[in-house]
Amino acid sequence: GNSVTQMEGPVTLSEEAFLTINCTYTATGYPSLFWYVQYPGEGLQLLLKATKADDKGSNKGFEATYRKETTSFHLEKGSVQVSDSAVYFCALTKGSGGSNYKLTFGKGTLLTVNP
Amino acid sequence: DGGITQSPKYLFRKEGQNVTLSCEQNLNHDAMYWYRQDPGQGLRLIYYSQIVNDFQKGDIAEGYSVSREKKESFPLTVTSAQKNPTAFYLCASTSPGQGPSLYGYTFGSGTRLTVV
């Protein structure tokens, strides 16, 4: 079945540091890949996505590139802010149709950014 | 604005009682989902429904029940058979016709259930 493995946290950084959160996946075919962010006490918000190999998703200074050859979708940001403190989830879904309409999540990575 | 509303935000239940969590969406989405979140375990799928009057078990359906009588509503009942119900519950939706692969899934703000 499908699975997502992401870097164990917690990750603690100082403001303006570089962020990488690793994510690798196992899936048949060509899944779509997502990063979701969860702020304390809230639901999940879509941060960025990529639907095919070599696509780069980007939003709010975050980026991730869909690497088919390494089955990876690592999240990066060049300069983090205190407001980026949250839990980040990597997820995948298969293309379309039937029971493929399910998101499979990684376990989440807690990021804390200190001023 | 369109979105998903989960209520209540906090819920307390005595052991042995059933409790129902509400999830309503006005996005005209066909598919709806319930996830359970526990610290260090990510999100696990409880039930999902792709169309009215039809639903399927997810990975951890035991002790839960759902109904889908209306397109916009997908309530989750946590029964007394659920051994460890204390968790954060998230509802989500998507529209297969528009492609979850393209647009992802919309999530509600969650209900935190505590058994006392």
Side-chain angles (χ1 to χ4, degrees), chain A residues 50-103:
Chain A
T51 58
K52 62 183 187 296
D54 300 325
D55 267 2
K56 177 186 282 188
S58 61
N59 186 27
K60 299 181 181 180
F62 291 90
E63 293 183 339
T65 300
Y66 189 145
R67 301 288 188 199
K68 184 75 174 165
E69 63 276 13
T70 55
T71 63
S72 65
F73 193 55
H74 304 321
L75 182 69
E76 296 182 337
K77 186 174 186 183
S79 176
V80 293
Q81 305 300 312
V82 172
S83 57
D84 293 327
S85 297
V87 180
Y88 292 82
F89 290 93
C90 186
L92 70 81
T93 191
K94 289 230 6 229
S96 62
S99 63
N100 293 333
Y101 289 135
K102 289 186 290 184
L103 268 178

